[in-house]
Amino acid sequence: MWHTSPMSELISRHQTGAPQNLEERFALRAAGMQPSEIRSLFAVASRPEIVSLAGGMPNLSALPMDMMASVVSDLILTNGAEALQYGSGQGHPLLREQICDVMALEGIRANPDDIIVTTGSQQALDLISRIFIDPGDVVLVEAPSYVGALGTFHQYEAQVVHVELDEQGLVPQALRDAIVGVRAAGKKIKFLYLIPNYQNPTGALLPADRRTEILEICREAGIFVVEDNPYGLLGFDRPSPNAMRAEDSENVIYLGTFSKTIAPGLRVGWALVPPSLKEKLVIASESSILCPSNFAQLTISRYLADQPWRDQIASFCDLYKVRRDAMLESLEEYFPASATWTKPGGGFYVWVNLPPEIDTKLMVPKAIVAKVAYVPGTAFYADGFGTWAMRLSFCHPTPERIRDGVKALGGVVKQEIARRSSAFEIKS
Ligand code: PMP
C-alpha cells in the first residue's frame, strides 16, 4: 500500500552538473505534478453526445440566475470599492461570521477568528499539505479516496496509506491496525484525511458512533484529523450526523466549501482550525494568493444575508435525489447480477464493483464509443488498486440521460464480462 515518488534517478541527474533538458531544469518537486486521470477524461466526457457520469460538477440548473445577477449587481453598485479591492489574508470578517452559522447546521460552534477563507477547499488541502508534509511522511486516507486530495498529497511527496472503508465509511479497527503498521515501519503519520459525509467516491456516510471512535483513536495516537465536508448538507432523506469537528475542536481540521451548496465558480471554501495552526495557514495562504477574492466572498456574504439559502439547499437536494433514484433504478435494470454498488443517502456519487477480471481503465474507450463516460476506480487509489471498480456521478445529467447512460454502460460491462469468460474458456 506504500506510495513513493520515483525520484532517485532525477536527484542524481540534478547533482551532476548543467541541466540538459526541460525535465532537468524543473525543481525536483515538479516530478510529482502529473495530470489526474479525471482531467484527460473530462475533455472527452464534455462532448455533448456523451452522457457524462464522470465529473462531479454541481447542477446549477436549480440556482435562480436572475437572483444571482441581482446579488452581484447590488454588491457592485453599493459596495464595489470594497468588493473589487484586495482584502484580508485570513478572509473577510463578515463572511467568517456567516460561515459559523452555516457550520452550526452540523453542530459546530466555532469562533470566526479560527476560520481561514480559501479559494475552494482544494486550496485548503494544499495549505495543510504544505505546512505538514515532508517528503516520505505518511498521510492516512480512506480506500478509496478523493482524487484531488491524492494529487495534492502526491505533489508534496507524502506516502499515502489507504485504510479500509466499508458501506459505513472508514473502519475504526483498520485505522488502529494501519497506525500500528506504519509506526512499526518507522514512519511518521502526519494526519488522517477523511470525508465522513456522502464520501467521494463511494457515497458512504460515517455513523455517529464510528466518528467518536475514530476521533478517540486519532487523539490517543496524536494524529490530526482532516475532516473534508463538501457534501454534509446534501443528505436527501435525513440530516447527516454532527460533524466530527463538533465533538473535537482541538484535534480536527475542518474543511468546508460553498462549491456544492451555492456555486463552485465562486471558488470560496474555508478551513476551521485549532487556534495553534491558524497563523501558519494564513502565512502559507498569503504567500500563494495574498488574499481570497473579496468579490467572491462578498457575493456569498450577500447571498447568505439576503436570500433563502437553506431553501435553496433543499431544492438542490430534491434535484439530486431524483437523479440518485434514476441511477439506482437503472443500475438494477441494466447492470449484470455480478456487479454491486453503493446506495448513497446524499451527495453525488455511486461506487460500482465489477467482477475482478474486469479492468475499468481499459474499458473506458469502449464506453466512450457507447457514448457514456465514468471514472475508473484506480483514480481513487494512490497505488494502482481499484481496477475492477468505477465511480458514477449522478449530479449533472437529467434523469433521462442518466438512464440512457447507465443502460449503455451496462451493455458495455456485460459484453466485457462475456468477452472475458469466452477468453478464459478458450485458454483453459
Ligand atoms: N473535497 C472533496 C471531497 C471534493 O469532492 C471536492 C470537489 N470535487 C473538493 C474537496 C474541492 O472542492 P472546492 O475546491 O470546489 O471547494
Side-chain angles (χ1 to χ4, degrees):
M1 291 273 182
W2 301 118
H3 188 74
T4 29
S5 328
M7 281 222 158
S8 43
E9 198 196 327
L10 206 56
I11 292 172
S12 63
R13 278 196 281 145
H14 263 260
Q15 287 164 346
T16 56
Q20 301 289 312
N21 58 33
L22 188 56
E23 271 311 293
E24 292 171 15
R25 294 162 82 172
F26 281 135
L28 290 172
R29 80 182 75 83
M33 297 176 182
Q34 302 294 340
S36 78
E37 295 191 31
I38 293 197
R39 167 128 64 99
S40 43
L41 198 62
F42 271 178
V44 181
S46 59
R47 287 195 222 134
E49 72 276 15
I50 308 277
V51 178
S52 179
L53 308 175
M57 285 200 312
N59 196 319
L60 298 183
S61 65
L63 189 67
M65 291 301 166
D66 48 352
M67 174 272 290
M68 276 323 273
S70 77
V71 168
V72 170
S73 108
D74 200 52
L75 170 65
I76 297 297
L77 291 173
T78 61
N79 194 17
E82 187 183 12
L84 300 176
Q85 189 51 274
Y86 287 118
S88 138
Q90 190 182 345
H92 200 284
L94 176 59
L95 181 65
R96 287 191 279 113
E97 273 175 31
Q98 292 167 300
I99 286 172
C100 291
D101 298 337
V102 174
M103 292 191 296
L105 295 179
E106 293 180 84
I108 295 175
R109 289 175 46 164
N111 182 340
D113 209 36
D114 299 334
I115 292 171
I116 296 121
V117 179
T118 53
T119 301
S121 51
Q122 191 68 33
Q123 192 212 351
L125 281 168
D126 183 77
L127 297 177
I128 290 161
S129 302
R130 184 131 53 100
I131 69 169
F132 280 114
I133 299 173
D134 285 319
D137 284 343
V138 169
V139 173
L140 302 174
V141 306
E142 293 149 309
S145 184
Y146 167 50
V147 59
L150 296 181
T152 305
F153 303 152
H154 183 53
Q155 260 186 43
Y156 286 94
E157 300 174 56
Q159 287 193 347
V160 170
V161 174
H162 287 285
V163 181
E164 184 189 347
L165 166 142
D166 62 20
E167 283 256 1
Q168 310 224 312
L170 192 80
V171 177
Q173 188 52 44
L175 175 61
R176 281 192 194 92
D177 296 345
I179 293 171
V180 171
V182 169
R183 288 192 166 158
K187 295 282 177 185
K188 261 195 218 158
I189 302 173
K190 285 303 173 74
F191 52 81
L192 164 69
Y193 166 79
L194 84 173
I195 308 152
N197 295 317
Y198 317 115
Q199 198 243 11
N200 182 358
T202 62
L205 177 68
L206 193 68
D209 56 343
R210 278 200 188 182
R211 292 178 193 227
T212 304
E213 199 176 344
I214 289 167
L215 286 170
E216 276 167 14
I217 295 169
C218 289
R219 240 186 343 258
E220 272 169 30
I223 297 169
F224 279 117
V225 173
V226 177
E227 176 182 27
D228 189 9
N229 188 28
Y231 306 100
L233 296 179
L234 296 181
F236 305 152
D237 306 312
R238 67 183 86 90
S240 48
N242 271 354
M244 296 171 84
R245 168 58 176 73
E247 218 179 302
D248 185 339
S249 56
E250 294 296 309
N251 203 45
V252 176
I253 299 167
Y254 175 94
L255 309 187
T257 178
F258 291 109
S259 286
K260 321 290 172 174
T261 49
I262 304 180
L266 289 166
R267 308 302 303 128
V268 179
W270 68 93
L272 167 65
V273 299
S276 54
L277 300 183
K278 186 187 86 183
E279 185 144 292
K280 283 259 186 290
L281 271 172
V282 174
I283 294 168
S285 184
E286 284 172 345
S287 82
S288 55
I289 61 163
L290 289 184
C291 62
S293 155
N294 250 2
F295 172 68
Q297 292 181 85
L298 289 172
T299 301
I300 301 251
S301 172
R302 288 264 168 136
Y303 173 88
L304 292 173
D306 300 340
Q307 302 299 325
W309 57 273
R310 291 177 187 78
D311 297 345
Q312 182 59 44
I313 294 175
S315 350
F316 278 130
C317 286
D318 292 345
L319 176 131
Y320 293 133
K321 183 178 178 171
V322 172
R323 285 161 170 75
R324 186 270 321 257
D325 291 345
M327 177 162 281
L328 293 182
E329 282 158 21
S330 36
L331 279 166
E332 206 62 63
E333 192 170 345
Y334 299 115
F335 263 52
S338 52
T340 58
W341 51 88
T342 53
K343 299 182 176 62
F348 286 3
Y349 309 107
V350 171
W351 181 255
V352 181
N353 287 304
L354 299 175
E357 67 273 18
I358 303 297
D359 186 327
T360 55
K361 202 165 166 182
L362 297 179
M363 204 175 73
V364 166
K366 294 175 186 164
I368 297 294
V369 170
K371 299 196 169 58
V372 57
Y374 62 86
V375 184
T378 45
F380 306 96
Y381 287 90
D383 47 20
F385 223 61
T387 47
W388 63 89
M390 55 170 101
R391 188 193 75 179
L392 304 183
S393 64
F394 51 79
C395 46
H396 208 261
T398 60
E400 296 68 38
R401 297 263 290 165
I402 289 174
R403 280 191 197 95
D404 292 347
V406 173
K407 182 176 179 187
L409 189 54
V412 173
V413 168
K414 283 177 186 163
Q415 267 177 16
E416 198 60 12
I417 292 174
R419 197 179 65 81
R420 284 303 193 136
S421 61
S422 64
F424 180 72
E425 275 163 23
I426 291 166
K427 264 198 222 149
S428 52

